[in-house]
Amino acid sequence: MSSSLEFASISRSFGNTEVLHQVSLTVEPSCCVALLGASGSGKSTLLRIAAGLDQSSSGQVLVDGENVNGVPSEQRGIALVFQKPLLFPHLTVVDNVAFSARMAGQSRKAARQHAMSYLELVHLSAVAHRSPGRLSGGQEQRVALARALARNPRILLLDEPFSSLDSRLREDMHLLVEDIRTELAPTIVLVTHDRREASALADSIAVLDNGRILQHGPVAQLHYQPATLAVNRILGGLNAVPGELIGDVHHSALGRIAVQPGLVNGPAFLTVRQEAIRIVAPGDGTATGCVTALKSLGAHTLVHIALSGESGPSETLTVEVPGDPGVAVGRSIGLRPTDGCGWAVTR
Amino acid sequence: MIPTLQPASASMRRTLPGGFPMQLILGFLLILWIVLPMAPVFLWSIAGQWRAPAVLPSSYSLQGFSALITPDTARAAASSLSLGFGVAMIATPLGYLGAVAVRGLPAVPGRAVEFVLLAPLAIPPFALVMGSNVALLRLYVSPTFGVILVLVVTALPYTAFMFRSALASYDQRFEEVARSLGASPGQAARTVRYPLLASAAARAFFLAFLVGWGDYIATLLIGGGQLRTLPMLLGSAASATGNEQLTAALSLTIIVPPLILLAGLTLPARVRGRQ
């Protein structure tokens, strides 16, 4: 059973410091929303408020439209998985997973039977009778996930649960979350500072910065249509070219690029993803520039370019290309946005 | 310029020079340091006759132990046990509550409570007993209860310190996880917090038991002779001459119960840890 979760104007202050400011966000049943933000942006506090482990200074948390402010954590039907697995060291793996059933008054035998099906879901039934101290980091996090799911929560909250795992284990865990979503379809709120993880797991991303939600939308929208420069930066966008907006066309050192309609004429930044610019021969693109540096990312390379303005080099731009870019530092090149249009922001 | 890391000098090394053999030797010396003073006591307890300058007794006997099998000794042992358990059963939960208060309070009041909890360590037992004895007499407090009351104060710093250390490394989020898994605050405490603090509680209980079990001064002065414990018997035996066997046998008898209690409290936890 999955439920909707809604934060309605949630604020939280610690002394004079406001950690969350009027945060409003809706998570539909069976959907996965990633709360993306830097450390200290307030995303974990928001999760703790949803779980009932912290109280908001103002605002409401609604589950299926019902205000759960003041409802004790254990009665909310919301399970939380922390960054640390926090498996109870005095219980075996199966008893950890059986914990919620035991708290609900089930017999030890029935609780363990229930737990075993969730351990099978995370492919760890073979280690059911081990002590948590004898598990690897990835296994511990799988058990923590199984333990939370065994609660049959209406909503599952994941607070950076995979950030301490290495990249391969993290990918395994992403696959596991996909399996869980297919099988159980829980409503998930995932807190992460990793935009790739947010993009891989979530249906939509809410960007949180300094306690405010800057933008909430589908993954592609946040990458290619950021609401602000901060969203562009948090989503890993490396380019924000200053220029002038005149009649839905952005004029800058990158040339004249058509942007979304509806903006007021005046100064604006063109946010164009580094993956969405193609290097072409000088004269074939909307702008020309000189390669200033190359940075290998393994299978991809970042090419840093100084754009040529009317009075010499003005702005820098970064382009990400697969494999060898085929250009050298100091070489003059042409640049062209892949789809011929861009996205402008004014702040 | 980034300075290069210099190789660690001998004084900077965190491990002992000499490696494992040196650790073995030092460990052996440590055991000797603890056990060696017990050797003469043990020899005296089974000595039939032992005159200077002989290194070992000239004859052996269990007369010292057989002299202990009297109703008086049994009553003293029962009183000592009651005192030890009484002090431990009051000082352990009080120490826990004190440590929880220190942890929960802001820095300055927390330190003030910590100071109060540890203050009895700085007060000489004789001064503490003499100071409180008059008050206890005026309040008509029974000698046994008075002794327990004073010894609880003496034991409190140890129990509070044990729980303070345990709580410092205890992750409060264990209980938050338990709550989000459906446990009420009481269930979270019973099923998560107390089991995780059990070994600290066992150590605190043991230390508090020792305070009551081995006390002499408070029992003598506040008990006023009405409370006869094993240390009181030992004191009487040691003050007389020619009682070396009995004194030594009584000393060993006083040592054994705490060791059994210590083994009972610590070994099961170690076995569980290995499993």
Side-chain angles (χ1 to χ4, degrees):
Chain A
M1 187 181 76
S2 51
S3 300
S4 67
L5 174 67
E6 187 183 346
F7 298 100
S9 302
I10 294 284
S11 294
R12 179 71 172 106
S13 299
F14 294 100
N16 293 326
T17 312
E18 192 174 44
V19 177
L20 291 171
H21 178 79
Q22 299 279 313
V23 170
S24 292
L25 176 72
T26 303
V27 185
E28 297 299 335
S30 299
C31 282
C32 177
V33 171
L35 283 172
L36 181 68
S39 299
S41 58
K43 51 194 193 305
S44 291
T45 305
L46 193 61
L47 225 55
R48 290 177 62 81
I49 289 170
L53 300 172
D54 200 352
Q55 296 297 318
S56 60
S57 305
S58 67
Q60 293 181 338
V61 177
L62 305 161
V63 175
D64 286 335
E66 189 186 331
N67 182 7
V68 294
N69 282 14
V71 175
S73 179
E74 65 271 20
Q75 289 169 21
R76 290 194 179 194
I78 297 176
L80 174 62
V81 178
F82 285 97
Q83 181 181 353
K84 259 178 85 178
L86 295 167
L87 299 181
F88 305 132
H90 59 293
L91 300 179
T92 60
V93 167
V94 68
D95 284 336
N96 262 279
V97 182
F99 185 86
S100 56
R102 291 286 289 152
M103 292 304 106
Q106 297 272 341
S107 70
R108 191 182 297 272
K109 190 180 172 189
R112 282 181 175 170
Q113 268 175 358
H114 176 73
M116 282 308 288
S117 56
Y118 285 91
L119 280 174
E120 277 160 21
L121 182 71
V122 298
H123 316 297
L124 282 177
S125 52
V127 299
H129 298 288
R130 274 195 205 166
S131 156
R134 292 178 59 207
L135 300 180
S136 67
Q139 286 176 324
E140 280 188 289
Q141 205 54 272
R142 278 170 184 264
V143 174
L145 208 50
R147 181 175 63 177
L149 290 168
R151 159 99 162 108
N152 296 326
R154 296 197 284 176
I155 294 154
L156 180 62
L157 307 175
L158 305 175
D159 190 359
E160 304 204 42
F162 315 130
S163 59
S164 59
L165 304 179
D166 65 43
S167 57
R168 191 175 163 188
L169 275 175
R170 208 177 305 164
E171 279 164 23
D172 286 349
M173 294 301 290
H174 292 173
L175 291 174
L176 179 65
V177 171
E178 279 176 26
D179 289 348
I180 287 166
R181 289 194 69 193
T182 308
E183 196 138 334
L184 304 173
T187 305
I188 299 176
V189 182
L190 166 75
V191 156
T192 181
H193 61 263
D194 182 348
R195 64 189 164 86
R196 289 190 182 87
E197 185 169 83
S199 306
L201 291 177
D203 301 312
S204 63
I205 298 175
V207 177
L208 205 59
D209 192 37
N210 287 325
R212 287 173 165 81
I213 290 202
L214 302 181
Q215 190 176 1
H216 176 213
V219 175
Q221 186 191 65
L222 266 82
H223 281 84
Y224 291 95
Q225 298 172 356
T228 62
L229 286 173
V231 173
N232 182 51
R233 176 177 45 79
I234 291 167
L235 266 295
L238 299 174
N239 299 315
V241 184
E244 197 75 13
L245 197 64
I246 306 166
D248 298 341
V249 175
H250 188 265
H251 298 251
S252 70
L254 195 57
R256 279 183 283 181
I257 311 283
V259 295
Q260 77 273 25
L263 291 177
V264 179
N265 288 350
F269 291 90
L270 183 75
T271 60
V272 53
R273 298 273 319 173
Q274 57 273 20
E275 307 93 357
I277 306 175
R278 198 175 296 159
I279 294 175
V280 294
D284 285 355
T286 57
T288 57
C290 180
V291 177
T292 56
L294 298 170
K295 187 180 177 189
S296 172
L297 299 177
H300 289 235
T301 305
L302 287 182
V303 183
H304 297 285
I305 299 142
L307 293 172
S308 307
E310 287 169 0
S311 54
S314 52
E315 293 298 328
T316 58
L317 199 77
T318 303
V319 178
E320 186 175 335
V321 292
D324 181 6
V327 293
V329 173
R331 191 176 148 186
S332 187
I333 56 167
L335 296 163
R336 177 197 295 278
T338 48
D339 57 359
C341 60
W343 187 263
V345 294
T346 53
R347 57 193 167 95
Chain B
M1 185 181 148
I2 299 170
T4 48
L5 186 66
Q6 297 299 316
S9 66
S11 62
M12 289 163 71
R13 280 197 203 108
R14 294 176 72 188
T15 51
L16 286 171
F20 182 68
M22 182 55 79
Q23 285 181 14
L24 210 64
I25 291 166
L26 285 174
F28 180 70
L29 287 174
L30 191 66
I31 291 169
L32 267 187
W33 190 39
I34 296 167
V35 171
L36 217 56
M38 295 305 301
V41 180
F42 177 72
L43 286 174
W44 263 119
S45 71
I46 53 169
Q49 208 167 37
W50 194 4
R51 291 184 195 283
V55 178
L56 291 170
S58 52
S59 65
Y60 293 91
S61 153
L62 290 174
Q63 203 182 344
F65 286 102
S66 58
L68 286 179
I69 307 169
T70 62
D72 197 28
T73 314
R75 273 195 296 276
S79 297
S80 287
L81 273 178
S82 309
L83 208 55
F85 281 118
V87 171
M89 286 170 75
I90 298 171
T92 306
L94 281 182
Y96 168 73
L97 292 175
V100 168
V102 171
R103 182 183 157 138
L105 286 168
V108 175
R111 280 192 201 129
V113 173
E114 195 168 37
F115 171 78
V116 171
L117 286 171
L118 297 179
L121 283 178
I123 303 169
F126 195 79
L128 183 69
V129 169
M130 291 309 287
S132 55
N133 197 17
V134 178
L136 291 170
L137 283 171
R138 283 183 182 166
L139 291 169
Y140 300 104
V141 175
S142 76
T144 307
F145 187 66
V147 173
I148 289 177
L149 213 58
V150 169
L151 292 180
V152 162
V153 176
T154 313
L156 203 54
Y158 301 109
T159 57
F161 181 76
M162 278 293 155
F163 282 114
R164 181 98 174 86
S165 310
L167 284 171
S169 57
Y170 173 72
D171 196 333
Q172 189 69 31
R173 287 178 303 171
F174 277 122
E175 283 174 62
E176 293 181 345
V177 169
R179 294 288 306 280
S180 82
L181 292 172
S184 65
Q187 282 177 314
R190 279 196 304 280
T191 55
V192 177
R193 191 196 307 160
Y194 297 155
L196 291 181
L197 294 177
S199 63
R203 289 194 297 272
F205 188 91
F206 177 69
L207 287 176
F209 174 83
L210 282 186
V211 169
W213 173 261
D215 176 74
Y216 181 78
I217 294 173
T219 317
L220 179 73
L221 297 177
I222 298 173
Q226 290 182 41
L227 194 60
R228 295 278 289 169
T229 59
L230 287 178
M232 297 286 287
L233 289 188
L234 181 63
S236 305
S239 60
T241 52
N243 271 346
E244 286 83 359
Q245 290 145 299
L246 181 67
T247 307
L250 200 53
S251 299
L252 287 181
T253 309
I254 290 176
I255 290 168
V256 170
L259 287 179
I260 293 171
L261 182 66
L262 183 63
L265 291 173
T266 56
L267 291 182
R270 287 198 183 274
V271 170
R272 272 201 303 276
R274 276 192 194 152
Q275 281 168 351

